[in-house]
Amino acid sequence: MEAVLGIIIIAVLCVCFGVSTDIIIFGFVLLAGFTLLSMLLLFAYSVLCLILSTGKDAEFVRFDKSPKGGYKVAYYSSDGKEYPCIFPCESLLLRKFYTNGKKHRVRISRIRYCVFDVFACITSILGLFFSSALAAAVVYILLFV
């Protein structure tokens, strides 16, 4: 919310100082492009880690905070080791998707020491697809409109 307020304040200041509205709109599109590019890089890295990971059977253990972030992730146990999931857990349907002691087929990334469960795989692939489509649309707008 603070970022949106900051962008609005900057836009109002630009208008007050006489900056053309075309340049302000171009700046917003450029900012959106950089945001989409960073999303694209994040999901491309996630898919690369997914491709280089190995498939194993793992047992769902618990939910806890991620060691690298403040969000809640699912933990899986395989070969006597616990691995956190790479993405936050689905909070709406926790009881349906995650049951204690249930075996799941996961992919364990040796690069990041984390797990890709089925929801993380779907998130990575769809995120790469949609972020690349949106980034291509922004590039098209910047070059041809």
Side-chain angles (χ1 to χ4, degrees), residues 52-128:
L52 297 176
S53 62
T54 57
K56 295 225 177 189
D57 287 326
E59 182 178 333
F60 170 73
V61 180
R62 63 187 163 89
F63 294 109
D64 204 357
K65 296 251 182 191
S66 172
K68 296 181 180 177
Y71 48 87
K72 204 174 180 184
V73 296
Y75 277 81
Y76 292 91
S77 175
S78 177
D79 299 332
K81 294 181 182 177
E82 278 191 6
Y83 298 96
C85 188
I86 192 166
F87 291 121
C89 61
E90 175 62 43
S91 60
L92 291 177
L93 302 170
L94 284 179
R95 303 230 190 278
K96 184 171 181 163
F97 290 155
Y98 304 101
T99 54
N100 285 338
K102 187 176 178 185
K103 291 278 188 182
H104 296 274
R105 187 75 179 158
V106 297
R107 301 197 54 91
I108 298 175
S109 173
R110 301 292 179 206
I111 297 171
R112 300 218 28 201
Y113 298 104
C114 62
V115 166
F116 286 90
D117 60 2
V118 67
F119 310 112
C121 293
I122 291 170
T123 302
S124 298
I125 293 168
L126 287 179
L128 180 65

Side-chain angles (χ1 to χ4, degrees), residues 26-39 134-135 138:
F26 181 75
F28 284 137
V29 171
L30 200 60
L31 181 65
F34 284 131
T35 303
L36 289 173
L37 181 65
S38 64
M39 284 175 47
L134 287 173
V138 168

Side-chain angles (χ1 to χ4, degrees), residues 12-44:
V12 169
L13 286 174
C14 287
V15 169
C16 289
F17 289 130
V19 177
S20 169
T21 55
D22 292 339
I23 293 176
I24 295 172
I25 292 172
F26 181 75
F28 284 137
V29 171
L30 200 60
L31 181 65
F34 284 131
T35 303
L36 289 173
L37 181 65
S38 64
M39 284 175 47
L40 176 67
L41 292 175
L42 168 80
F43 286 119

